[in-house]
Amino acid sequence: MGEASARLPCGCIRARCEESGAERDKRWAELFQQLDLNKDGRIDVHELRSGLAAWGVARTDVDEVRHIVRVSDTNHDGQLDFEEFTRYLRTHEKELKLMFHSLDRNNDGQIDVGEIQQSLHSVGVEVSTEQAYRILRSMDRDGTMTIDWNEWRDHFLFNPSRNMEDIAHHWKHSLMLDIGEHLTVPDEFSERERRAGLVWRQLVAGAMAGAVSRTGTAPLDRLKVFLQVVYPGLFLQVHGSGGAGLLSGLQGMVQEGGVRSLWRGNGINVLKIAPESAIKFMAYEQIKWLIRGCKDSGSLRVQERFIAGSLAGATAQTIIYPMEVLKTRLTLRKTGQYSGMLDCARQILRKEGVRAFYRGYVPNTLGIIPYAGIDLAVYETLKNAWLQRYCVGSADPGVLVLLGCGTVSSTCGQLASYPLALIRTRMQAQASTEGAPKLTMVGQFKHIVSQEGVPGLYRGIAPNFLKVIPAVSISYVVYEHMKKALGVGS
């Protein structure tokens, strides 16, 4: 659920470590009164969620609030009376007490940074000292840089975690430990998450978000491809227009094939999301297992996850690359040139052979490394800089900050890898573009620099940048709605 009960109203944090039964009962009664908003002697899901949000408990996920009510509601009326509420608190505080003592390895009544690192390591989650300090600061309310029982209890009082694995899962999925994997590296999932089907539900949510995002920005993507492969005379042949600017390009495409032509190539671009995501995830899991070796419960370091993610991306691209070639050819096609995807594939196979389906594969694969590496490094740097400057007492920079970091890091990654992407697209399109020289990767590079100069390596980057913000925004909104629809918690 949230980062913690940061502002619980009962003075819980100031309570003595040894709380008498009367003091505990009084604290529970005050909590109940605060949460019973309509004063009917019962607390429902809405009241519990609203009360926690008013106290400053971040990310009060409705599914977790419903879980608390469901497991404690013994008479199944959808609400908690005082007896049911106190039964939940009594049971949950006992579990929290056991977890606190398991973390407090030196039995001094305090949890320090080293003990947080050790406890996470024991369940296969590796964190740096800096990350452990951020976890600690999110719970430390008296500034001692240690966590006593009251701070621990109040932090997790309305979090349904029942053991250290759940606590580790909570910390791992708190935004502080995210390393930009929604952009470049697949999520790490626990065995419990796999058994619950979270893996495939999250992949489906991501695929739907990608499909809507790609469809929404398809006109800009098609314009980018045209500008990438344009040669003297080609734009005039295809569009009947002498200009190759953004507006004239869009106008030319509409004149040649109507408004629907702006979405040429989008069908296969959406179709390849599912196999690419599934292959990338399965390849990542296998590569992660090879890197980990015999350390079955170990977690990969950032560098290892970057390597595993890049190799997984290269594996997925190798398998689905023919679809990339088809996407480029369908995007560039004139009206009536192909009747569909299968016709396009048949014509390529008949006229150019099987090797045509892997034209541009080398620059495509080489481009994965700088894009993923720079994307990941910039995302981490920006996020950590924000946390250190503006969120000293919190591990959560907020959704808008993360979206901003992701947009900037993705843009930087594109800048670094764009020349390779341009060369790849030209090689994919060679047979379909009249007047285009049939060159190798190095030949394409030399030709572009000699004919167009260094700026020629960035031809078409303007529409590429224009689609970044809408693509990220659409993806995020659709992804969040799909996660709710599929029952994937935040």
Side-chain angles (χ1 to χ4, degrees):
M1 191 182 300
E3 279 307 311
S5 304
R7 302 183 183 89
L8 287 178
C10 306
C12 301
I13 292 167
R14 294 188 295 274
R16 299 193 310 271
C17 288
E18 292 299 328
E19 185 181 42
S20 68
E23 288 173 325
R24 181 199 61 199
D25 292 342
K26 180 182 177 183
R27 173 169 59 84
W28 289 351
E30 289 175 352
L31 278 172
F32 187 84
Q33 290 170 9
Q34 291 280 344
L35 291 168
D36 183 15
L37 301 180
N38 61 6
K39 306 304 177 188
D40 65 349
R42 292 177 176 81
I43 299 171
D44 60 24
V45 171
H46 173 72
E47 287 176 311
L48 182 56
R49 195 180 187 206
S50 299
L52 295 177
W55 294 345
V57 179
R59 298 197 304 280
T60 47
D61 185 82
V62 66
D63 291 329
E64 294 186 350
V65 175
R66 284 174 179 156
H67 175 76
I68 290 173
V69 173
R70 185 172 61 253
V71 299
S72 309
D73 180 22
T74 54
N75 62 4
H76 307 295
D77 64 351
Q79 302 178 95
L80 300 181
D81 57 28
F82 183 67
E83 182 182 350
E84 292 168 331
F85 181 73
T86 55
R87 187 182 300 115
Y88 163 77
L89 292 179
R90 183 177 293 106
T91 302
H92 195 52
E93 286 189 14
K94 284 180 182 178
E95 293 168 343
L96 290 174
K97 193 86 165 180
L98 291 172
M99 285 187 274
F100 180 83
H101 287 311
S102 73
L103 265 74
D104 182 21
R105 295 174 181 249
N106 59 5
N107 297 315
D108 65 349
Q110 311 280 338
I111 298 172
D112 58 28
V113 168
E115 288 169 329
I116 287 175
Q117 283 183 293
Q118 289 176 6
S119 65
L120 289 174
H121 174 76
S122 68
V123 292
V125 178
E126 303 295 338
V127 297
S128 66
T129 303
E130 180 186 1
Q131 289 174 324
Y133 267 117
R134 289 193 192 128
I135 291 173
L136 188 145
R137 282 197 296 266
S138 71
M139 294 183 283
D140 179 26
R141 303 305 167 195
D142 56 11
T144 60
M145 293 309 291
T146 57
I147 306 302
D148 61 27
W149 156 242
N150 291 312
E151 290 171 320
W152 172 265
R153 178 198 64 206
D154 294 337
H155 188 90
F156 288 108
L157 191 58
F158 292 101
N159 184 304
S161 301
R162 302 177 63 87
N163 50 50
M164 268 314 300
E165 285 76 13
D166 289 342
I167 296 292
H169 175 268
H170 166 77
W171 279 335
K172 187 185 79 172
H173 287 282
S174 70
L175 296 175
M176 191 204 91
L177 294 182
D178 181 274
I179 64 162
E181 53 209 352
H182 59 287
L183 294 172
T184 53
V185 183
D187 271 328
E188 298 231 18
F189 295 95
S190 67
E191 191 60 36
R192 179 172 61 86
E193 291 169 325
R194 295 172 202 278
R195 287 197 299 267
L198 179 67
V199 177
W200 296 108
R201 280 183 286 166
Q202 197 142 315
L203 287 176
V204 169
M208 286 298 298
V212 176
S213 174
R214 291 184 185 192
T215 301
T217 57
L220 287 171
D221 188 66
R222 186 171 189 235
L223 178 60
K224 176 199 73 175
V225 173
F226 263 111
L227 293 178
Q228 283 179 331
V229 302
V230 68
Y231 292 95
L234 173 64
F235 207 89
L236 181 61
Q237 294 169 19
V238 175
H239 297 310
S241 168
L246 298 181
L247 187 58
S248 62
L250 290 171
Q251 288 175 338
M253 286 190 286
V254 172
Q255 289 171 6
E256 192 275 330
V259 174
R260 288 185 63 185
S261 69
L262 296 175
W263 277 266
R264 281 181 186 164
N266 183 61
I268 194 165
N269 198 31
V270 169
L271 192 63
K272 67 187 178 69
I273 292 174
E276 184 176 10
S277 299
I279 293 166
K280 189 173 183 179
F281 174 74
M282 289 186 287
Y284 179 76
E285 290 296 299
Q286 292 300 313
I287 295 165
K288 184 177 71 173
W289 181 81
L290 290 173
I291 291 174
R292 262 193 334 212
C294 60
K295 299 182 294 181
D296 290 336
S297 61
S299 180
L300 300 184
R301 296 189 295 272
V302 170
Q303 302 92 321
E304 292 173 330
R305 294 179 71 188
F306 162 63
I307 293 170
S310 297
L311 290 174
T315 302
Q317 280 291 301
T318 300
I319 295 172
I320 64 101
Y321 192 77
M323 298 179 78
E324 295 279 0
V325 175
L326 285 174
K327 181 250 180 183
T328 299
R329 298 292 182 91
L330 289 167
T331 298
L332 292 168
R333 78 184 189 270
K334 301 176 186 178
T335 301
Q337 186 175 356
Y338 305 118
S339 62
M341 284 183 274
L342 290 177
D343 182 52
C344 178
R346 278 195 298 264
Q347 288 195 40
I348 294 173
L349 186 62
R350 187 177 69 252
K351 296 177 182 178
E352 305 168 57
V354 176
R355 292 183 62 183
F357 289 105
Y358 280 88
R359 281 212 180 104
Y361 172 76
V362 173
N364 179 73
T365 304
L366 291 176
I368 292 173
I369 305 301
Y371 179 85
I374 292 171
D375 188 3
L376 185 61
V378 172
Y379 182 88
E380 272 290 275
T381 301
L382 290 175
K383 188 184 68 175
N384 289 336
W386 179 276
L387 284 170
Q388 290 169 9
R389 184 164 184 176
Y390 298 106
C391 301
V392 176
S394 172
D396 184 356
V399 170
L400 290 177
V401 173
L402 289 175
L403 277 176
C405 292
T407 302
V408 173
S409 65
S410 178
T411 302
C412 292
Q414 287 184 43
L415 274 172
S417 63
Y418 193 83
L420 287 167
L422 181 139
I423 291 170
R424 173 207 66 198
T425 305
R426 287 200 176 183
M427 293 178 72
Q428 289 174 339
Q430 279 181 153
S432 65
T433 54
E434 297 173 15
K438 307 300 186 287
L439 301 171
T440 63
M441 181 180 74
V442 176
Q444 285 281 1
F445 181 82
K446 290 179 179 178
H447 177 80
I448 293 168
V449 173
S450 65
Q451 296 295 316
E452 307 171 55
V454 174
L457 294 171
Y458 288 90
R459 182 184 288 276
I461 201 168
N464 206 49
F465 280 164
L466 285 175
K467 73 174 186 174
V468 169
I469 293 177
V472 170
S473 303
I474 293 169
S475 290
Y476 174 75
V477 171
V478 176
Y479 183 63
E480 288 301 307
H481 280 83
M482 284 301 301
K483 283 207 301 182
K484 290 178 181 177
L486 295 170
V488 181
S490 300

PDB file of all heavy atoms in Angstrom, residues 238-271:
ATOM      1  N   VAL A 238       6.763   9.813 -54.541  1.00  0.00           N
ATOM      2  CA  VAL A 238       5.777   9.192 -53.644  1.00  0.00           C
ATOM      3  C   VAL A 238       4.635  10.142 -53.327  1.00  0.00           C
ATOM      4  O   VAL A 238       3.470   9.770 -53.309  1.00  0.00           O
ATOM      5  CB  VAL A 238       6.472   8.720 -52.344  1.00  0.00           C
ATOM      6  CG1 VAL A 238       5.446   8.181 -51.362  1.00  0.00           C
ATOM      7  CG2 VAL A 238       7.513   7.664 -52.659  1.00  0.00           C
ATOM      8  N   HIS A 239       4.982  11.421 -53.060  1.00  0.00           N
ATOM      9  CA  HIS A 239       3.974  12.339 -52.551  1.00  0.00           C
ATOM     10  C   HIS A 239       3.448  13.337 -53.574  1.00  0.00           C
ATOM     11  O   HIS A 239       2.440  14.000 -53.319  1.00  0.00           O
ATOM     12  CB  HIS A 239       4.546  13.142 -51.373  1.00  0.00           C
ATOM     13  CG  HIS A 239       4.912  12.287 -50.210  1.00  0.00           C
ATOM     14  ND1 HIS A 239       4.064  11.353 -49.669  1.00  0.00           N
ATOM     15  CD2 HIS A 239       6.047  12.230 -49.475  1.00  0.00           C
ATOM     16  CE1 HIS A 239       4.647  10.764 -48.651  1.00  0.00           C
ATOM     17  NE2 HIS A 239       5.850  11.269 -48.524  1.00  0.00           N
ATOM     18  N   GLY A 240       4.161  13.512 -54.676  1.00  0.00           N
ATOM     19  CA  GLY A 240       3.768  14.566 -55.603  1.00  0.00           C
ATOM     20  C   GLY A 240       4.035  15.932 -55.027  1.00  0.00           C
ATOM     21  O   GLY A 240       3.356  16.901 -55.351  1.00  0.00           O
ATOM     22  N   SER A 241       4.988  16.024 -54.106  1.00  0.00           N
ATOM     23  CA  SER A 241       5.326  17.287 -53.464  1.00  0.00           C
ATOM     24  C   SER A 241       6.827  17.437 -53.457  1.00  0.00           C
ATOM     25  O   SER A 241       7.549  16.468 -53.268  1.00  0.00           O
ATOM     26  CB  SER A 241       4.776  17.321 -52.022  1.00  0.00           C
ATOM     27  OG  SER A 241       5.321  18.414 -51.322  1.00  0.00           O
ATOM     28  N   GLY A 242       7.295  18.633 -53.635  1.00  0.00           N
ATOM     29  CA  GLY A 242       8.736  18.846 -53.685  1.00  0.00           C
ATOM     30  C   GLY A 242       9.351  19.051 -52.331  1.00  0.00           C
ATOM     31  O   GLY A 242      10.564  19.053 -52.201  1.00  0.00           O
ATOM     32  N   GLY A 243       8.547  19.232 -51.290  1.00  0.00           N
ATOM     33  CA  GLY A 243       9.097  19.503 -49.972  1.00  0.00           C
ATOM     34  C   GLY A 243       9.150  18.264 -49.133  1.00  0.00           C
ATOM     35  O   GLY A 243       8.427  17.322 -49.342  1.00  0.00           O
ATOM     36  N   ALA A 244      10.057  18.277 -48.135  1.00  0.00           N
ATOM     37  CA  ALA A 244      10.183  17.135 -47.244  1.00  0.00           C
ATOM     38  C   ALA A 244      10.059  17.571 -45.798  1.00  0.00           C
ATOM     39  O   ALA A 244      10.641  16.984 -44.915  1.00  0.00           O
ATOM     40  CB  ALA A 244      11.526  16.430 -47.480  1.00  0.00           C
ATOM     41  N   GLY A 245       9.303  18.670 -45.559  1.00  0.00           N
ATOM     42  CA  GLY A 245       9.091  19.136 -44.208  1.00  0.00           C
ATOM     43  C   GLY A 245       8.004  18.339 -43.526  1.00  0.00           C
ATOM     44  O   GLY A 245       7.349  17.489 -44.134  1.00  0.00           O
ATOM     45  N   LEU A 246       7.779  18.638 -42.236  1.00  0.00           N
ATOM     46  CA  LEU A 246       6.784  17.888 -41.474  1.00  0.00           C
ATOM     47  C   LEU A 246       5.380  18.077 -42.045  1.00  0.00           C
ATOM     48  O   LEU A 246       4.675  17.105 -42.320  1.00  0.00           O
ATOM     49  CB  LEU A 246       6.817  18.336 -40.007  1.00  0.00           C
ATOM     50  CG  LEU A 246       8.133  18.104 -39.248  1.00  0.00           C
ATOM     51  CD1 LEU A 246       7.990  18.589 -37.813  1.00  0.00           C
ATOM     52  CD2 LEU A 246       8.500  16.633 -39.265  1.00  0.00           C
ATOM     53  N   LEU A 247       4.978  19.332 -42.219  1.00  0.00           N
ATOM     54  CA  LEU A 247       3.620  19.592 -42.693  1.00  0.00           C
ATOM     55  C   LEU A 247       3.424  19.123 -44.125  1.00  0.00           C
ATOM     56  O   LEU A 247       2.423  18.468 -44.450  1.00  0.00           O
ATOM     57  CB  LEU A 247       3.310  21.085 -42.574  1.00  0.00           C
ATOM     58  CG  LEU A 247       1.865  21.491 -42.885  1.00  0.00           C
ATOM     59  CD1 LEU A 247       0.898  20.738 -41.968  1.00  0.00           C
ATOM     60  CD2 LEU A 247       1.686  23.000 -42.738  1.00  0.00           C
ATOM     61  N   SER A 248       4.410  19.442 -44.996  1.00  0.00           N
ATOM     62  CA  SER A 248       4.274  19.024 -46.398  1.00  0.00           C
ATOM     63  C   SER A 248       4.308  17.509 -46.520  1.00  0.00           C
ATOM     64  O   SER A 248       3.661  16.934 -47.390  1.00  0.00           O
ATOM     65  CB  SER A 248       5.387  19.645 -47.244  1.00  0.00           C
ATOM     66  OG  SER A 248       6.663  19.199 -46.813  1.00  0.00           O
ATOM     67  N   GLY A 249       5.053  16.844 -45.619  1.00  0.00           N
ATOM     68  CA  GLY A 249       5.098  15.384 -45.633  1.00  0.00           C
ATOM     69  C   GLY A 249       3.754  14.775 -45.305  1.00  0.00           C
ATOM     70  O   GLY A 249       3.281  13.863 -45.984  1.00  0.00           O
ATOM     71  N   LEU A 250       3.099  15.305 -44.266  1.00  0.00           N
ATOM     72  CA  LEU A 250       1.779  14.808 -43.890  1.00  0.00           C
ATOM     73  C   LEU A 250       0.759  15.099 -44.984  1.00  0.00           C
ATOM     74  O   LEU A 250      -0.073  14.250 -45.313  1.00  0.00           O
ATOM     75  CB  LEU A 250       1.341  15.451 -42.565  1.00  0.00           C
ATOM     76  CG  LEU A 250       2.097  15.000 -41.308  1.00  0.00           C
ATOM     77  CD1 LEU A 250       1.728  15.870 -40.116  1.00  0.00           C
ATOM     78  CD2 LEU A 250       1.814  13.534 -41.003  1.00  0.00           C
ATOM     79  N   GLN A 251       0.841  16.293 -45.551  1.00  0.00           N
ATOM     80  CA  GLN A 251      -0.081  16.655 -46.634  1.00  0.00           C
ATOM     81  C   GLN A 251       0.111  15.738 -47.841  1.00  0.00           C
ATOM     82  O   GLN A 251      -0.856  15.297 -48.466  1.00  0.00           O
ATOM     83  CB  GLN A 251       0.139  18.115 -47.038  1.00  0.00           C
ATOM     84  CG  GLN A 251      -0.357  19.115 -46.016  1.00  0.00           C
ATOM     85  CD  GLN A 251       0.000  20.552 -46.398  1.00  0.00           C
ATOM     86  OE1 GLN A 251       0.929  20.782 -47.174  1.00  0.00           O
ATOM     87  NE2 GLN A 251      -0.720  21.513 -45.833  1.00  0.00           N
ATOM     88  N   GLY A 252       1.383  15.450 -48.165  1.00  0.00           N
ATOM     89  CA  GLY A 252       1.672  14.578 -49.303  1.00  0.00           C
ATOM     90  C   GLY A 252       1.130  13.182 -49.109  1.00  0.00           C
ATOM     91  O   GLY A 252       0.585  12.571 -50.045  1.00  0.00           O
ATOM     92  N   MET A 253       1.254  12.649 -47.891  1.00  0.00           N
ATOM     93  CA  MET A 253       0.737  11.304 -47.621  1.00  0.00           C
ATOM     94  C   MET A 253      -0.779  11.269 -47.738  1.00  0.00           C
ATOM     95  O   MET A 253      -1.348  10.309 -48.262  1.00  0.00           O
ATOM     96  CB  MET A 253       1.191  10.844 -46.223  1.00  0.00           C
ATOM     97  CG  MET A 253       2.661  10.457 -46.159  1.00  0.00           C
ATOM     98  SD  MET A 253       3.138   9.649 -44.617  1.00  0.00           S
ATOM     99  CE  MET A 253       3.143  11.015 -43.482  1.00  0.00           C
ATOM    100  N   VAL A 254      -1.460  12.321 -47.266  1.00  0.00           N
ATOM    101  CA  VAL A 254      -2.919  12.379 -47.358  1.00  0.00           C
ATOM    102  C   VAL A 254      -3.355  12.490 -48.813  1.00  0.00           C
ATOM    103  O   VAL A 254      -4.312  11.839 -49.248  1.00  0.00           O
ATOM    104  CB  VAL A 254      -3.467  13.556 -46.526  1.00  0.00           C
ATOM    105  CG1 VAL A 254      -4.963  13.737 -46.769  1.00  0.00           C
ATOM    106  CG2 VAL A 254      -3.212  13.319 -45.035  1.00  0.00           C
ATOM    107  N   GLN A 255      -2.638  13.308 -49.594  1.00  0.00           N
ATOM    108  CA  GLN A 255      -2.971  13.462 -51.011  1.00  0.00           C
ATOM    109  C   GLN A 255      -2.793  12.154 -51.777  1.00  0.00           C
ATOM    110  O   GLN A 255      -3.576  11.821 -52.666  1.00  0.00           O
ATOM    111  CB  GLN A 255      -2.086  14.549 -51.632  1.00  0.00           C
ATOM    112  CG  GLN A 255      -2.431  15.963 -51.175  1.00  0.00           C
ATOM    113  CD  GLN A 255      -1.411  16.986 -51.637  1.00  0.00           C
ATOM    114  OE1 GLN A 255      -0.497  16.657 -52.399  1.00  0.00           O
ATOM    115  NE2 GLN A 255      -1.548  18.226 -51.175  1.00  0.00           N
ATOM    116  N   GLU A 256      -1.759  11.399 -51.425  1.00  0.00           N
ATOM    117  CA  GLU A 256      -1.461  10.152 -52.153  1.00  0.00           C
ATOM    118  C   GLU A 256      -2.434   9.031 -51.801  1.00  0.00           C
ATOM    119  O   GLU A 256      -2.849   8.267 -52.665  1.00  0.00           O
ATOM    120  CB  GLU A 256      -0.022   9.711 -51.845  1.00  0.00           C
ATOM    121  CG  GLU A 256       0.512   8.614 -52.739  1.00  0.00           C
ATOM    122  CD  GLU A 256       0.122   7.219 -52.269  1.00  0.00           C
ATOM    123  OE1 GLU A 256      -0.053   7.019 -51.055  1.00  0.00           O
ATOM    124  OE2 GLU A 256      -0.017   6.335 -53.122  1.00  0.00           O
ATOM    125  N   GLY A 257      -2.818   8.922 -50.548  1.00  0.00           N
ATOM    126  CA  GLY A 257      -3.628   7.766 -50.158  1.00  0.00           C
ATOM    127  C   GLY A 257      -4.783   8.053 -49.230  1.00  0.00           C
ATOM    128  O   GLY A 257      -5.393   7.102 -48.703  1.00  0.00           O
ATOM    129  N   GLY A 258      -5.085   9.333 -48.980  1.00  0.00           N
ATOM    130  CA  GLY A 258      -6.171   9.653 -48.066  1.00  0.00           C
ATOM    131  C   GLY A 258      -5.718   9.636 -46.608  1.00  0.00           C
ATOM    132  O   GLY A 258      -4.584   9.271 -46.292  1.00  0.00           O
ATOM    133  N   VAL A 259      -6.647  10.009 -45.719  1.00  0.00           N
ATOM    134  CA  VAL A 259      -6.306  10.097 -44.288  1.00  0.00           C
ATOM    135  C   VAL A 259      -5.883   8.738 -43.733  1.00  0.00           C
ATOM    136  O   VAL A 259      -4.971   8.638 -42.911  1.00  0.00           O
ATOM    137  CB  VAL A 259      -7.510  10.657 -43.493  1.00  0.00           C
ATOM    138  CG1 VAL A 259      -7.217  10.612 -41.991  1.00  0.00           C
ATOM    139  CG2 VAL A 259      -7.817  12.082 -43.938  1.00  0.00           C
ATOM    140  N   ARG A 260      -6.512   7.656 -44.198  1.00  0.00           N
ATOM    141  CA  ARG A 260      -6.184   6.315 -43.694  1.00  0.00           C
ATOM    142  C   ARG A 260      -4.734   5.928 -43.981  1.00  0.00           C
ATOM    143  O   ARG A 260      -4.159   5.097 -43.271  1.00  0.00           O
ATOM    144  CB  ARG A 260      -7.131   5.276 -44.306  1.00  0.00           C
ATOM    145  CG  ARG A 260      -8.557   5.332 -43.757  1.00  0.00           C
ATOM    146  CD  ARG A 260      -9.393   4.207 -44.330  1.00  0.00           C
ATOM    147  NE  ARG A 260      -8.883   2.906 -43.951  1.00  0.00           N
ATOM    148  CZ  ARG A 260      -9.370   1.746 -44.404  1.00  0.00           C
ATOM    149  NH1 ARG A 260     -10.374   1.754 -45.271  1.00  0.00           N
ATOM    150  NH2 ARG A 260      -8.850   0.608 -44.018  1.00  0.00           N
ATOM    151  N   SER A 261      -4.146   6.540 -44.998  1.00  0.00           N
ATOM    152  CA  SER A 261      -2.763   6.188 -45.340  1.00  0.00           C
ATOM    153  C   SER A 261      -1.783   6.602 -44.252  1.00  0.00           C
ATOM    154  O   SER A 261      -0.663   6.096 -44.198  1.00  0.00           O
ATOM    155  CB  SER A 261      -2.363   6.849 -46.664  1.00  0.00           C
ATOM    156  OG  SER A 261      -2.246   8.264 -46.517  1.00  0.00           O
ATOM    157  N   LEU A 262      -2.198   7.516 -43.375  1.00  0.00           N
ATOM    158  CA  LEU A 262      -1.324   7.936 -42.271  1.00  0.00           C
ATOM    159  C   LEU A 262      -1.042   6.778 -41.320  1.00  0.00           C
ATOM    160  O   LEU A 262      -0.094   6.824 -40.548  1.00  0.00           O
ATOM    161  CB  LEU A 262      -1.957   9.097 -41.505  1.00  0.00           C
ATOM    162  CG  LEU A 262      -2.153  10.413 -42.273  1.00  0.00           C
ATOM    163  CD1 LEU A 262      -2.892  11.420 -41.410  1.00  0.00           C
ATOM    164  CD2 LEU A 262      -0.813  10.975 -42.721  1.00  0.00           C
ATOM    165  N   TRP A 263      -1.888   5.759 -41.360  1.00  0.00           N
ATOM    166  CA  TRP A 263      -1.726   4.613 -40.457  1.00  0.00           C
ATOM    167  C   TRP A 263      -1.174   3.376 -41.178  1.00  0.00           C
ATOM    168  O   TRP A 263      -1.233   2.279 -40.635  1.00  0.00           O
ATOM    169  CB  TRP A 263      -3.062   4.290 -39.782  1.00  0.00           C
ATOM    170  CG  TRP A 263      -3.304   5.155 -38.583  1.00  0.00           C
ATOM    171  CD1 TRP A 263      -3.002   4.869 -37.288  1.00  0.00           C
ATOM    172  CD2 TRP A 263      -3.893   6.456 -38.570  1.00  0.00           C
ATOM    173  NE1 TRP A 263      -3.350   5.905 -36.470  1.00  0.00           N
ATOM    174  CE2 TRP A 263      -3.900   6.905 -37.237  1.00  0.00           C
ATOM    175  CE3 TRP A 263      -4.397   7.301 -39.563  1.00  0.00           C
ATOM    176  CZ2 TRP A 263      -4.413   8.142 -36.855  1.00  0.00           C
ATOM    177  CZ3 TRP A 263      -4.891   8.545 -39.201  1.00  0.00           C
ATOM    178  CH2 TRP A 263      -4.896   8.951 -37.868  1.00  0.00           C
ATOM    179  N   ARG A 264      -0.607   3.543 -42.367  1.00  0.00           N
ATOM    180  CA  ARG A 264      -0.015   2.400 -43.054  1.00  0.00           C
ATOM    181  C   ARG A 264       1.160   1.862 -42.246  1.00  0.00           C
ATOM    182  O   ARG A 264       2.015   2.613 -41.795  1.00  0.00           O
ATOM    183  CB  ARG A 264       0.452   2.807 -44.457  1.00  0.00           C
ATOM    184  CG  ARG A 264      -0.675   2.869 -45.456  1.00  0.00           C
ATOM    185  CD  ARG A 264      -0.187   3.243 -46.829  1.00  0.00           C
ATOM    186  NE  ARG A 264      -1.322   3.437 -47.740  1.00  0.00           N
ATOM    187  CZ  ARG A 264      -1.238   4.055 -48.910  1.00  0.00           C
ATOM    188  NH1 ARG A 264      -0.083   4.524 -49.329  1.00  0.00           N
ATOM    189  NH2 ARG A 264      -2.317   4.203 -49.671  1.00  0.00           N
ATOM    190  N   GLY A 265       1.196   0.555 -42.113  1.00  0.00           N
ATOM    191  CA  GLY A 265       2.265  -0.086 -41.353  1.00  0.00           C
ATOM    192  C   GLY A 265       1.980  -0.210 -39.874  1.00  0.00           C
ATOM    193  O   GLY A 265       2.701  -0.894 -39.145  1.00  0.00           O
ATOM    194  N   ASN A 266       0.885   0.437 -39.390  1.00  0.00           N
ATOM    195  CA  ASN A 266       0.588   0.383 -37.960  1.00  0.00           C
ATOM    196  C   ASN A 266       0.078  -0.983 -37.529  1.00  0.00           C
ATOM    197  O   ASN A 266       0.327  -1.415 -36.400  1.00  0.00           O
ATOM    198  CB  ASN A 266      -0.443   1.453 -37.597  1.00  0.00           C
ATOM    199  CG  ASN A 266      -0.743   1.484 -36.110  1.00  0.00           C
ATOM    200  OD1 ASN A 266       0.145   1.720 -35.307  1.00  0.00           O
ATOM    201  ND2 ASN A 266      -1.979   1.220 -35.741  1.00  0.00           N
ATOM    202  N   GLY A 267      -0.626  -1.682 -38.437  1.00  0.00           N
ATOM    203  CA  GLY A 267      -1.168  -2.996 -38.075  1.00  0.00           C
ATOM    204  C   GLY A 267      -0.096  -3.958 -37.622  1.00  0.00           C
ATOM    205  O   GLY A 267      -0.186  -4.559 -36.546  1.00  0.00           O
ATOM    206  N   ILE A 268       0.954  -4.096 -38.421  1.00  0.00           N
ATOM    207  CA  ILE A 268       2.014  -5.034 -38.046  1.00  0.00           C
ATOM    208  C   ILE A 268       2.861  -4.476 -36.911  1.00  0.00           C
ATOM    209  O   ILE A 268       3.422  -5.224 -36.100  1.00  0.00           O
ATOM    210  CB  ILE A 268       2.897  -5.378 -39.267  1.00  0.00           C
ATOM    211  CG1 ILE A 268       3.765  -6.593 -38.945  1.00  0.00           C
ATOM    212  CG2 ILE A 268       3.741  -4.183 -39.710  1.00  0.00           C
ATOM    213  CD1 ILE A 268       4.385  -7.234 -40.170  1.00  0.00           C
ATOM    214  N   ASN A 269       2.932  -3.148 -36.805  1.00  0.00           N
ATOM    215  CA  ASN A 269       3.665  -2.533 -35.695  1.00  0.00           C
ATOM    216  C   ASN A 269       3.006  -2.881 -34.362  1.00  0.00           C
ATOM    217  O   ASN A 269       3.693  -3.111 -33.353  1.00  0.00           O
ATOM    218  CB  ASN A 269       3.698  -1.016 -35.883  1.00  0.00           C
ATOM    219  CG  ASN A 269       4.773  -0.356 -35.047  1.00  0.00           C
ATOM    220  OD1 ASN A 269       5.820  -0.949 -34.777  1.00  0.00           O
ATOM    221  ND2 ASN A 269       4.533   0.873 -34.641  1.00  0.00           N
ATOM    222  N   VAL A 270       1.683  -2.936 -34.344  1.00  0.00           N
ATOM    223  CA  VAL A 270       0.947  -3.335 -33.140  1.00  0.00           C
ATOM    224  C   VAL A 270       1.005  -4.843 -32.955  1.00  0.00           C
ATOM    225  O   VAL A 270       1.186  -5.346 -31.835  1.00  0.00           O
ATOM    226  CB  VAL A 270      -0.521  -2.846 -33.237  1.00  0.00           C
ATOM    227  CG1 VAL A 270      -1.367  -3.471 -32.127  1.00  0.00           C
ATOM    228  CG2 VAL A 270      -0.583  -1.331 -33.163  1.00  0.00           C
ATOM    229  N   LEU A 271       0.905  -5.582 -34.054  1.00  0.00           N
ATOM    230  CA  LEU A 271       0.878  -7.041 -33.992  1.00  0.00           C
ATOM    231  C   LEU A 271       2.149  -7.622 -33.395  1.00  0.00           C
ATOM    232  O   LEU A 271       2.112  -8.647 -32.705  1.00  0.00           O
ATOM    233  CB  LEU A 271       0.657  -7.598 -35.402  1.00  0.00           C
ATOM    234  CG  LEU A 271       0.324  -9.086 -35.521  1.00  0.00           C
ATOM    235  CD1 LEU A 271      -0.999  -9.393 -34.843  1.00  0.00           C
ATOM    236  CD2 LEU A 271       0.290  -9.499 -36.992  1.00  0.00           C
TER     237      LEU A 271
END
